[in-house]
Amino acid sequence: MTAKFDPFAAAPQLMKSWFATSNAVNDSLEPSLIELVKIRSSQINQCANCINMHTADARAQGETEQRIYLLSAWREAPCYTSRERAALAWTEALTRLSEGHSHEAAHEALAAEFSEEEQVKLTLMINVINGWNRIAVGFGLWYETPAKAAA
């Protein structure tokens, strides 16, 4: 992937506002859930930059390799909570909205696990990560994550 240009240099004020919004939404729910949502959306959108970044962030927060590796097959993996499953189903429904599938079952699961306020927070997070995916893929961005020292 070759960067086309740096959107932070091209539109600094807008990108600063976008980054601030992203951070505010990022801090609205539990960090482990947020990272799973970011990774899953990034997998669907094939955003290598964001997958790389958010798997590193998830590991830094204590997420297990097993749960990171199984995320693309979360429906068949027993290691996710019902709350995480509801969030992942909602993430997939909104990220794949253009495919025309009904999202009613995903919303029912969401409503069973999340308050209305949390539903809004999660929906905003899904929108934010989809936006970041489009920025990174569209402009060919790659930010190297710091290498973790071997134990």
Side-chain angles (χ1 to χ4, degrees), residues 69-88:
Y69 295 149
L70 290 172
L71 196 51
S72 63
W74 65 268
R75 284 182 178 81
E76 292 78 29
C79 56
Y80 302 101
T81 69
S82 57
R83 182 173 168 89
E84 291 167 339
R85 290 176 180 283
L88 292 169

Side-chain angles (χ1 to χ4, degrees), residues 23-141:
N23 284 337
V25 172
N26 191 58
D27 295 339
S28 69
L29 292 167
E30 58 268 33
S32 60
L33 180 71
I34 291 292
E35 291 306 325
L36 292 176
V37 165
K38 289 177 182 178
I39 296 166
R40 185 64 192 126
S41 178
S42 300
Q43 289 172 333
I44 294 166
N45 290 321
Q46 299 181 30
C47 182
N49 180 70
C50 294
I51 294 168
N52 187 52
M53 184 184 315
H54 296 299
T55 55
D57 290 347
R59 285 181 190 98
Q61 293 175 10
E63 189 58 78
T64 67
E65 294 296 311
Q66 179 189 40
R67 285 168 42 93
I68 291 171
Y69 295 149
L70 290 172
L71 196 51
S72 63
W74 65 268
R75 284 182 178 81
E76 292 78 29
C79 56
Y80 302 101
T81 69
S82 57
R83 182 173 168 89
E84 291 167 339
R85 290 176 180 283
L88 292 169
W90 191 239
T91 300
E92 289 188 4
L94 295 184
T95 301
R96 293 181 164 144
L97 200 57
S98 67
E99 294 177 15
H101 305 294
S102 171
H103 64 280
E104 291 306 314
H107 187 264
E108 288 175 16
L110 181 74
E113 295 291 334
F114 290 81
S115 70
E116 288 181 352
E117 180 182 7
E118 289 175 322
Q119 290 177 51
V120 171
K121 290 175 177 180
L122 180 61
T123 301
L124 288 171
M125 184 69 255
I126 294 164
N127 277 278
V128 164
I129 190 56
N130 274 284
W132 278 119
N133 292 161
R134 281 147 180 79
I135 291 168
V137 171
F139 296 126
L141 302 182

